[in-house]
Each structure stands twice: as C-alpha cells, then as structure tokens.
Amino acid sequence: MKMFKNTLVKITLVCIFLVANMMIAQPSWAGKKYTADPDYIEITKTLESVLQDKQTQGYTPEIEQKISNLKFQKYILENSEDPVGICRNETDKTLLVYGQKPKKSTSTYDNELYLLPNGVETDDEWDCQGVYIPGQAATEGQEAIPAKAFKIVHGTRLVATSNPDTKEVEFNLPPAKVIQSGEANWLIPENLQAALDAGITTAKIDD
C-alpha cells in the first residue's frame, strides 16, 4: 500500500526550506513547552542516532530519508500553533482514527479508535493521534499486507485523500511512525471488520 505521496526529494526540499525559515525568522513557538512532549524527546533521540549512523555508514537514500522525515516532524512540534493533531478525511469513505481514551474507558491500550466520516476534520481541541490502515489478505499475485497505524505528532494537520486510480488512501504528509501490531501499545486489528466489531464511536469533529 502506498503510505504517502511524498518522494525523498520532495521531503528533503521541504525540510531545507523550513530550516531556512527558522534561521531568518523569530520562531513563533518561543516559550512553548514542546521539549517535554514524549514524541519530541523520542524524535530528538532517534535523529541523533540516525545522524550517527550516517557518520559511520556514509550516505544512503534510506538514511537520508529518515533524517529528512525526523527533521520535518521535529519542525512541526516546534512551530505548530496547534497543541493537538488534526485529521481531515477527504477519501469519500469513513476512516478510523486514533484519539485519547474516554475517562471511563477500561481499555489497556494507550489510545482508542474512532470513526471519522468523510468531508470532516477532527476538532481543534481533540487530539487526533493517527489513522488506522486495514490489512489486505493475500492474493495470487501479492502477499498479505498487515494492518498498520499511521502515527502523527502534535501539531500535524493531516489530510487523507483517495487515489483516483488505485482507491488507496494517501496522505499530504509523511508519518511520524508507521506501527504494526505488537510494536506499540495501540489497538491495530488485522482487518476493518475486526476493528468495527470492537465497537467504535465517532470522533469529536469540528463544527
């Protein structure tokens, strides 16, 4: 499944442009406590590790893409005026998104799945943490594709669209992380029906 449209070159150019803006403009995020954000701490540590890998292993397209994406996610956290992630659905179908658990939830997972109807976006006071991508069963010409969670960081404004040719879901931004079942404490059902059977309510949307 095509997870996002952006090519390595596009992501790299975006990051260069954003870093240049940071050098010539007074940051709007002065005084924000983004440095205490768990995602910011994790991204900063991962970026340091990948930069070290580049020094020891040399240039590779994979390492360069990781560096560009990590810098981009870090920039979002440092500069966004939104303290939450916002997800917009333009796919012509209902999506499943991740958000904060209700206070009375008995779930042991870190978050919960919610329905996001087509043509709406999540409320700017409700933290959208990512999008659920259903798995695909194996066919004669293709191996099975496991279900995934497309994680975003605070401040991201994610727009999901549908590819007119393949009908696959595409995004305007790369993910902070793509998670498979067992890699994080997130509910990632194997398929869409299993997710719906779990009982899902509608996300808080922007009126």
Side-chain angles (χ1 to χ4, degrees):
M1 178 180 291
K2 183 177 179 182
M3 294 300 298
F4 50 88
K5 299 178 184 177
N6 306 68
T7 63
L8 170 61
V9 174
K10 288 182 179 179
I11 295 174
T12 303
L13 289 175
V14 167
C15 291
I16 291 173
F17 173 75
L18 295 179
V19 171
N21 278 349
M22 292 173 65
M23 294 174 65
I24 63 176
Q26 178 67 25
S28 61
W29 41 265
K32 288 187 178 180
K33 297 181 179 179
Y34 60 83
T35 53
D37 188 302
D39 285 336
Y40 187 84
I41 295 171
E42 180 182 356
I43 287 171
T44 300
K45 289 182 178 179
T46 304
L47 179 58
E48 291 173 354
S49 176
V50 177
L51 288 171
Q52 184 63 39
D53 290 342
K54 183 178 180 180
Q55 287 185 342
T56 57
Q57 300 176 24
Y59 170 89
T60 68
E62 293 78 12
I63 288 179
E64 200 63 31
Q65 183 172 3
K66 286 182 181 179
I67 292 172
S68 296
N69 189 29
L70 288 165
K71 286 182 176 179
F72 184 60
Q73 303 299 330
K74 189 176 179 182
Y75 177 87
I76 292 174
L77 285 162
E78 291 175 341
N79 289 271
S80 176
E81 296 180 357
D82 298 311
V84 299
I86 297 176
C87 296
R88 182 166 187 82
N89 181 7
E90 296 290 349
T91 64
D92 292 327
K93 56 188 176 184
T94 299
L95 285 180
L96 298 185
V97 298
Y98 291 91
Q100 185 176 357
K101 294 188 298 184
K103 292 182 179 180
K104 295 183 179 180
S105 174
T106 58
S107 171
T108 58
Y109 292 104
D110 292 343
N111 48 27
E112 198 154 311
L113 279 169
Y114 296 86
L115 299 170
L116 183 64
N118 176 59
V120 300
E121 70 180 26
T122 54
D123 190 86
D124 59 7
E125 295 183 354
W126 189 86
D127 186 27
C128 181
Q129 300 171 7
V131 178
Y132 167 75
I133 307 296
Q136 295 182 8
T139 62
E140 185 175 341
Q142 179 178 296
E143 295 182 357
I145 299 176
K148 302 178 181 69
F150 186 103
K151 179 182 177 179
I152 62 174
V153 297
H154 295 142
T156 302
R157 285 183 168 268
L158 187 73
V159 180
T161 56
S162 182
N163 185 298
D165 298 321
T166 66
K167 306 304 180 184
E168 294 178 345
V169 176
E170 297 180 338
F171 301 97
N172 64 321
L173 297 172
K177 183 182 292 185
V178 177
I179 304 169
Q180 294 188 28
S181 180
E183 295 179 347
N185 192 31
W186 288 32
L187 173 62
I188 307 178
E190 278 301 311
N191 53 62
L192 184 59
Q193 189 58 52
L196 295 175
D197 289 345
I200 302 174
T201 58
T202 301
K204 187 177 181 181
I205 61 175
D206 188 37
D207 296 328

